[in-house]
Amino acid sequence: MDIFRTTVRHVNGHALVAVAGELDIATRPELCSCVERVLGTRPDTLVLDLGGVTFIDARGLGALLLLRRHAAELDTRLLLSHVSPAVRSVLVMTGLSDAFTVSAEAASVSASVSASVSASVSAAPADASAGGFAPPGLPPAAGGHRLDL
Amino acid sequence: MTEHTEAPTVGMGGIRDVVSVRLPAVSAYLSVLRTATAGLAARLDFTLDEIEDLRIAVDEACAMLLTQAVPGTDLTAEFELTGQEMQVRVEVSTVGTALPKRDEFAWMVLTALADDVDAVTDSPDRMAIVLRKRRGAARPA
């Protein structure tokens, strides 16, 4: 069993919430309260990095939908990054593969947030460009695109 | 959590194994049941994809039941392993019974992953979901 955890970073009006562990009926409240707190800071963009999510079920997916709606009400763009095969297949099963936006921009926001954090922590900006959240596979195209399934 | 195997031999050559797991009907224990599910499916030589399907299916069935369960009671899961198939019956105590909503995401996922699913609501104070998955069966479209 993986410990569920969320890690929040902010930079330049963007927020990154990295989610790790199993997202189910038990851990969903923790995700929701974390993301609602971040939405309260009114970021322009909120990137949910799902790279560490090892399990997701319908309740977890329901939480993502709820958060997307709350974000829209606050004029925050909610984007997903690092959508794993596990998450992807549940999105497909529920017909929700078009409901979320995964964008290259999300990757670059993730990277810049991660870069700024590692720069401030390690004072080694030369290494910061290799931000740990940048996925290798995403094209450098600007703007969002639908989840390619 | 208690776990016992009622027949000691793995279900090879038509031998029938039944494994019962009883745990508190609270969501925090679902991850434990998912792990047990995966372990049992592996004994039947299910593929990794099939094991993952079963893990999610059992999770969805239990999550639906937990919303109806009487607080302080247990959830029981009975796994029946035959050579090619696993049948899982998950059950909780309820006050009255409500059929699962078929338009819920949980039901969609459950029926997509299991080969067949039945909701059993013939008792006024118990509710069960029975699902079956065969080894090597194509995932229903």
Side-chain angles (χ1 to χ4, degrees):
Chain A
M1 171 170 42
D2 308 310
I3 304 294
F4 185 81
R5 63 179 187 281
T6 51
T7 313
V8 180
R9 285 156 192 182
H10 291 272
V11 72
N12 299 335
H14 301 301
L16 171 73
V17 179
V19 188
E22 300 186 319
L23 182 49
D24 68 358
I25 190 174
T27 56
R28 159 194 171 127
E30 195 176 331
L31 174 71
C32 287
S33 66
C34 169
V35 173
E36 297 289 1
R37 249 191 336 268
V38 174
L39 285 175
T41 68
R42 309 301 289 267
D44 298 331
T45 305
L46 192 155
V47 180
L48 269 181
D49 184 330
L50 302 180
V53 174
T54 53
F55 179 89
I56 188 168
D57 63 9
R59 311 285 156 161
L61 205 55
L64 298 183
L65 284 172
L66 185 76
L67 294 170
R68 189 197 57 163
R69 194 167 72 233
H70 288 180
E73 286 164 5
L74 297 168
D75 289 327
T76 292
R77 284 192 312 150
L78 189 142
L79 308 173
L80 305 185
S81 74
H82 296 96
V83 176
S84 64
V87 177
R88 196 167 301 227
S89 85
V90 176
L91 283 170
V92 172
M93 264 176 250
T94 47
L96 290 172
S97 42
D98 286 338
F100 292 94
T101 304
V102 175
S103 83
E105 200 178 333
S108 69
V109 169
S110 301
S112 68
V113 170
S114 154
S116 94
V117 168
S118 78
S120 62
V121 169
S122 68
D127 296 330
S129 59
F133 287 99
L138 278 176
H145 61 82
R146 290 300 181 189
L147 199 51
D148 183 17
L149 300 154
Chain B
M1 178 175 105
T2 59
E3 183 170 342
H4 62 275
T5 307
E6 287 164 7
T9 323
V10 186
M12 303 290 286
I15 296 170
R16 178 175 169 271
D17 277 7
V18 177
V19 177
S20 300
V21 179
R22 174 187 293 272
L23 19 73
V26 293
S27 62
Y29 282 94
L30 269 196
S31 63
V32 176
L33 193 58
R34 289 197 297 266
T35 302
T37 302
L40 291 167
R43 287 174 74 84
L44 288 181
D45 287 334
F46 277 64
T47 65
L48 288 178
D49 282 347
E50 289 165 345
I51 291 172
E52 189 58 21
D53 288 356
L54 258 172
R55 234 161 58 89
I56 301 174
V58 169
D59 170 273
E60 299 293 5
C62 293
M64 280 190 281
L65 293 181
L66 285 182
T67 60
Q68 314 265 344
V70 177
T73 59
D74 288 342
L75 179 149
T76 58
E78 190 175 271
F79 299 82
E80 191 176 324
L81 287 63
T82 58
Q84 299 291 322
E85 185 185 88
M86 184 187 284
Q87 173 178 296
V88 189
R89 179 189 175 97
V90 289
E91 187 165 350
V92 293
S93 296
T94 59
V95 179
T97 50
L99 280 169
K101 296 193 197 90
R102 309 269 159 153
D103 57 348
E104 270 189 3
F105 288 137
W107 187 261
M108 289 167 67
V109 172
L110 174 54
T111 51
L113 295 178
D115 292 324
D116 34 63
V117 182
D118 293 314
V120 184
T121 53
D122 45 10
S123 156
D125 57 355
R126 307 284 297 166
M127 188 169 156
I129 293 176
V130 181
L131 65 97
R132 277 174 288 274
K133 188 160 184 74
R134 278 177 293 280
R135 195 175 63 188
R139 184 186 279 186

